[in-house]
Structure formats: structure tokens, C-alpha cells
Amino acid sequence: MSIIAVGSAKASPGATSLAVGLGLSWAAITGRKAVLIEADGDGGVLAARYGLALNPSLVELSGAARHELTVDRLQSSCQLLAGQLPCLVAPGCGETTSRVLAAMGGRLLGDLGRVDGIDVVADIGRIRASSPVAELVKRCDLLVLVVRPEFDQLVPFVHQARRMTASRIPTALVCVGGRPYPPTEMAKASGLDLLGVMAHDARVDRILGGGIPGNQRHRRLLLWRTLGELVHRIHYRLQAPSLGNKAA
Ligand SMILES: Nc1ncnc2c1ncn2[C@@H]1O[C@H](COP(=O)(O)OP(=O)(O)O)[C@@H](O)[C@H]1O
Ligand SMILES: [Mg+2]
């Protein structure tokens, strides 16, 4: 299994939406199953945003995690987002989520590492030095740092990118939208590889909430095309031995 962490340095650039979009597009592009884990220490939004139940959630999985984690156990704590993507939601309360994530910590990771045949997209929210998912960030196969190419996001983003690079965490950049700054400038300033751009679309919540269309023609929507491209590039990077933790 590969673990792809999706997070941001500041504000709300669209990390959760990107994580959902990657998760929904994953199987169609890679032929592998994906599960979305909402590991955001500020608390979850997936249940509220996509009309899911409050449980099962991370809380139920943390109870079950006394036993060895299997695909079955993981999936039984998941709900289906848009009827398609198995998704482990976090409680809406940040304190509860942080407590559960901190308690599960490295054990969840160790267990995930042993689960075969499924890849994990983890929405880790805003990355902080004292994050309850610091261990997950250290050991992910790829950290996708999400940013809007805007002036007020530049400084915190560059700072975070440098911190990740100095910690030898394999990190790449995704911009949400391509304006006002060219995403290539954001990449240059941060020293990160630019994976690509997720199209800016004001209807993003509704589109993702409807799931990935079965019909190829409907997938021509720019948002789905850009998500498909990003999955391609991430998948390629995970295969390339010199670009991720898998090389170690
Ligand atoms: N690609 C996008 N195009 C337009 N709006 C977006 C896009 N992605 C996210 N948004 C909007 O930005 C806001 C924050 O998105 P969210 O994914 O929750 O960000 P984060 O997880 O970084 O806080 C939401 O209102 C969402 O609809
Ligand atoms: Mg979020």
C-alpha cells in the first residue's frame, strides 16, 4: 500500500477537496483501490459536507485497532463517499480527532503498512510542528502540499515546503487554480516539484459529492481531467524509485 498525505501550510486552499478528488479518481486511473482517511487534527468536515453519518469514524477504528488492522476491519469503519469511495471520517471536533489520532499514532501506520491491495489518501489538513499525525507525515510515500497561487499564501507555503524538504519528506506541490501567480513560480520559490493544478471550479463540492461519472464524456469536465492528470503523476512518482520513501 502507498500512503499519500494531502495537507496545506495555511488557510483553506482546498486540501480536503483535492484529497476527495484524488480518492474518487484513483481506481479509474491506477486500477487500484483507494481509501480516504480524514486525519485532520482540526476536526472533520467530510461527514457534514458530503452527507455522511457521524459514525462509524476514526473513533470506532481506534477501538478496533487493539486487534490487528486488516482491509476488512478498515473497511468496516468506513462509509462510502458518493457511493464510491471508502472513507474514514473524523469527528467534527478537533480536540477529539487530535486525541484519537495521537492515541493511534504510529500503530495505525504500522498496521496500514501491512495492509495490502489498497492505497491510502490521508487528508491531514494544516501541517503543524506539533501535529497529531507527525508520524504519518514522516512515513508517507508522498506528501502533497496544496496551495493557492496567491501572495498571502506564498510565505507560509515556502516556509513549510523548506521544513518538509529539510526533514527529507518526499513532498510535491499542487496548486488550486492557476492565478494570479503562475504555479511554476510557486514551485520555483519553494523548490518543490509541481505535480500540477487542480482546476478552480466554484461547483467543486457538488461535483465531488456526485462522485466520478461512469460516463467518459462527463469526465471531460476540466475538474475531473485535472484530477485524473494529478493521479497519473502521483502514481508515476510512487513507481519511480528515486522520488519517494519507497526508495529507502
Ligand atoms: N478546486 C476548487 N475550486 C474552487 N473552490 C474550491 C476548490 N477546492 C476547494 N474549494 C473551496 O474552498 C473551500 C475550502 O476547501 P477545502 O477543500 O475544505 O480546503 P481545506 O481542506 O484546505 O481547508 C471550500 O469552500 C471549497 O468549496
Ligand atoms: Mg480540510
Side-chain angles (χ1 to χ4, degrees):
M1 111 159 5
S2 296
I3 300 179
I4 300 109
V6 180
S8 63
K10 188 181 162 70
S12 248
T16 297
S17 305
L18 177 66
V20 169
L22 295 178
L24 286 168
S25 307
W26 196 258
I29 305 283
T30 68
R32 289 174 58 82
K33 287 187 198 163
V35 60
L36 174 64
I37 300 185
E38 190 172 36
D40 183 340
D42 285 333
V45 299
L46 290 179
R49 189 175 293 174
Y50 299 105
L52 302 174
L54 296 179
N55 49 58
S57 71
L58 274 173
V59 176
E60 281 69 28
L61 184 71
S62 76
R66 276 181 230 108
H67 313 282
E68 194 192 336
L69 186 70
T70 58
V71 175
D72 284 350
R73 220 167 249 139
L74 177 62
Q75 285 188 329
S76 69
S77 300
C78 286
Q79 304 182 48
L80 277 185
L81 195 157
Q84 298 174 344
L85 174 65
C87 159
L88 185 58
V89 302
C93 163
E95 276 170 25
T96 309
T97 304
S98 290
R99 210 169 42 239
V100 170
L101 287 169
M104 289 167 93
R107 200 184 38 178
L108 172 66
L109 267 170
D111 283 353
L112 283 174
R114 284 191 291 275
V115 176
D116 256 345
I118 193 160
D119 295 320
V120 172
V121 178
D123 172 10
I124 60 168
R126 220 153 21 93
I127 304 168
R128 280 175 255 113
S130 59
S131 163
V133 288
E135 204 55 32
L136 189 148
V137 174
K138 257 190 242 154
R139 287 166 48 189
C140 68
D141 297 292
L142 181 65
L143 170 65
V144 176
L145 207 50
V146 185
V147 71
R148 300 235 178 170
E150 295 166 0
F151 186 62
D152 58 358
Q153 298 215 0
L154 184 66
V155 172
F157 158 70
V158 167
H159 179 78
Q160 193 60 267
R162 292 196 180 143
R163 217 168 63 80
M164 296 298 115
T165 308
S167 312
R168 300 182 163 277
I169 292 163
T171 308
L173 158 68
V174 168
C175 285
V176 174
R179 281 189 292 178
Y181 287 117
T184 46
E185 291 296 316
M186 302 296 280
K188 206 156 107 192
S190 63
L192 296 181
D193 286 345
L194 177 65
L195 282 173
V197 174
M198 178 188 188
H200 187 277
D201 190 323
R203 303 161 299 172
V204 65
D205 294 347
R206 191 157 49 81
I207 294 169
L208 295 178
I212 185 164
N215 180 328
Q216 285 289 353
R217 209 161 51 85
H218 295 150
R219 283 191 210 161
R220 282 199 217 134
L221 186 67
L222 188 60
L223 185 70
W224 288 118
R225 279 194 280 133
T226 54
L227 287 167
E229 267 298 305
L230 290 168
V231 170
H232 260 303
R233 298 203 183 137
I234 292 170
H235 189 55
Y236 173 78
R237 229 187 126 101
L238 295 173
Q239 316 288 310
S242 60
L243 295 174
N245 264 356
K246 291 241 149 107

